[in-house]
């Protein structure tokens, strides 16, 4: 299956270190040879890079690992194709507009019966179950919420966003019932991570120390690159470092991230818990 990488930070932060380890899994230390992509939200804008070739041999991937793009939210994906051919149109992450925001989505897993999910406002460009599910998911959210629930401020209006987050969790649960559905989703304000089988996260904050990659010979001392107020959370299919504490998400768990912090947590069969 594919693998996912995400980041949520309270200050513009580059993901060069984590991405360096991640790209080695795309045809190097892992079998995910069928394309890769990465998306950045920065300064109110959005940009992404996608390539249908293995990331471990991609000049574009090497550029990203060396180019410190500063971002609050990052989503990345390396692909092992199971539905749809190996081509750019089928390379994650996928994007669509809703509420004047760019929504970015990446999926790890495989779904059964995905062709029966009705499509209304959005249509796939490629022919993957992942993109079809994204179009269905976003259209369903838009049907129930024609406008954004509220303007986002530093004091996140959790009470106004909880219905949206509850609906998103329910839709993810529906897709999980059709197979494996691990999700990264973002709108420039929030990063959503949903676990069907495998996702883990770690949060880096003061006092910062050294981290060592599992997939490449690289060590970094974050104390030399951060301030005491920085908070950076990294989410991955499998932990990227072997000397940091990673928390594995539960099947059916949805986490809502903003500025490196968990805003809300949803698990199967229980009420949401605010962060």
């Amino acid at each position: 299956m594919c693998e996912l990488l995400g980041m949520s930070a309270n200050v513009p932060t580059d993901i060069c270190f984590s991405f360096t380890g991640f790209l080695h899994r795309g045809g190097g230390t892992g079998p995910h040879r069928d394309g890769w992509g990465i998306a950045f939200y920065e300064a109110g804008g959005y940009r992404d890079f996608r390539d249908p070739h293995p990331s471990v041999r991609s000049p574009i991937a090497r550029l990203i690992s060396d180019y410190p793009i500063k971002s609050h939210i990052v989503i990345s994906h390396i692909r092992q194709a199971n539905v749809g051919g190996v081509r750019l149109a089928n390379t994650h992450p996928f994007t669509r507009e809703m509420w004047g925001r760019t929504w970015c989505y990446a999926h790890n897993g495989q779904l059964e019966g995905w062709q029966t999910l009705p499509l209304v406002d959005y249509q796939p460009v490629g022919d993957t179950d992942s993109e079809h599910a994204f179009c269905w998911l976003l259209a369903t959210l838009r049907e129930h919420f024609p406008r954004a629930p509220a303007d986002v401020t530093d004091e996140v209006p959790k009470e106004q966003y909880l219905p949206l987050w509850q609906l998103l969790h329910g839709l993810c649960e529906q897709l999980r019932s059709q197979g494996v559905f691990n999700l990264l989703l973002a709108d420039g304000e929030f990063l959503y991570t949903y676990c069907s089988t495998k996702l883990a996260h770690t949060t880096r904050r003061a006092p910062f120390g050294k981290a060592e990659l599992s997939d490449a010979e690289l060590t970094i001392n974050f104390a030399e690159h951060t301030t005491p107020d920085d908070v950076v959370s990294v989410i991955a299919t499998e932990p990227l470092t072997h000397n940091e504490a990673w928390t594995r998400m539960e099947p059916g768990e949805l986490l809502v991230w903003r500025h490196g912090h968990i805003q809300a947590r949803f698990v199967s069969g229980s009420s949401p818990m605010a962060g």
Side-chain angles (χ1 to χ4, degrees):
M1 289 188 182
C2 311
E3 290 204 21
L4 303 170
L5 170 65
M7 185 191 78
S8 173
N10 69 337
V11 293
T13 303
D14 74 71
I15 199 170
C16 295
F17 175 74
S18 296
F19 184 71
T20 296
F22 189 62
L23 72 85
H24 279 80
R25 297 180 179 180
T29 58
H32 314 90
R33 301 175 178 275
D34 301 322
W36 67 276
I38 190 168
F40 301 89
Y41 289 91
E42 49 181 315
Y46 170 93
R47 59 174 154 177
D48 64 21
F49 302 83
R50 297 185 297 149
D51 188 351
H53 304 293
S55 58
V56 73
R57 297 198 302 269
S58 170
I60 305 173
R62 289 196 296 272
L63 166 68
I64 299 303
S65 66
D66 293 334
Y67 181 24
I69 298 174
K70 304 291 187 179
S71 178
H72 285 284
I73 298 175
V74 176
I75 287 179
S76 186
H77 178 276
I78 50 176
R79 186 176 184 229
Q80 185 177 15
N82 48 49
V83 177
V86 179
R87 59 193 183 105
L88 188 60
N90 290 334
T91 305
H92 306 225
F94 302 108
T95 59
R96 296 293 189 278
E97 180 276 334
M98 184 169 72
W99 307 331
R101 304 177 191 172
T102 301
W103 288 71
C104 174
Y105 159 102
H107 162 231
N108 161 23
Q110 189 170 356
L111 302 173
E112 300 291 337
W114 54 274
Q115 300 93 333
T116 63
L117 296 169
L119 299 179
V120 182
D121 296 314
Y122 302 97
Q123 298 294 321
V125 176
D127 54 357
T128 64
D129 54 346
S130 300
E131 189 183 15
H132 188 110
F134 177 41
C135 291
W136 171 81
L137 183 70
L138 214 59
T140 306
L141 293 177
R142 189 169 194 161
E143 177 185 359
H144 288 80
F145 297 91
R147 298 179 180 81
D151 292 331
V152 180
T153 64
D154 287 338
E155 294 297 325
V156 180
K158 295 187 181 71
E159 66 283 355
Q160 297 187 57
Y161 269 82
L162 278 176
L164 170 68
W165 297 343
Q166 288 173 320
L167 174 60
L168 175 60
H169 182 243
L171 297 177
C172 290
E173 291 280 82
Q174 179 178 337
L175 291 168
R176 181 166 74 108
S177 72
Q178 297 180 226
V180 177
F181 187 73
N182 299 296
L183 163 82
L184 296 184
L185 177 71
D187 65 354
E189 290 289 347
F190 301 104
L191 172 66
Y192 303 95
T193 62
Y194 176 79
C195 177
S196 174
T197 53
K198 286 184 180 181
L199 270 181
H201 58 87
T202 188
T203 297
R204 296 163 181 158
R205 52 163 57 96
F208 291 96
K210 293 183 179 181
E212 300 175 357
L213 290 175
S214 301
D215 298 89
E217 294 184 4
L218 183 62
T219 300
I220 189 171
N221 185 356
F222 286 114
E224 299 175 355
H225 304 275
T226 56
T227 73
D229 296 326
D230 293 359
V231 179
V232 181
S233 294
V234 177
I235 303 93
T237 300
E238 291 287 353
L240 292 165
T241 57
H242 56 73
N243 66 329
E244 292 182 293
W246 289 77
T247 301
R248 293 192 180 272
M249 292 178 62
E250 301 175 12
E253 180 181 11
L254 172 72
L255 296 178
V256 182
W257 302 83
R258 185 169 187 260
H259 293 173
H261 299 280
I262 295 174
Q263 304 297 314
R265 175 176 180 261
F266 300 79
V267 295
S268 298
S270 67
S271 300
M273 291 164 276

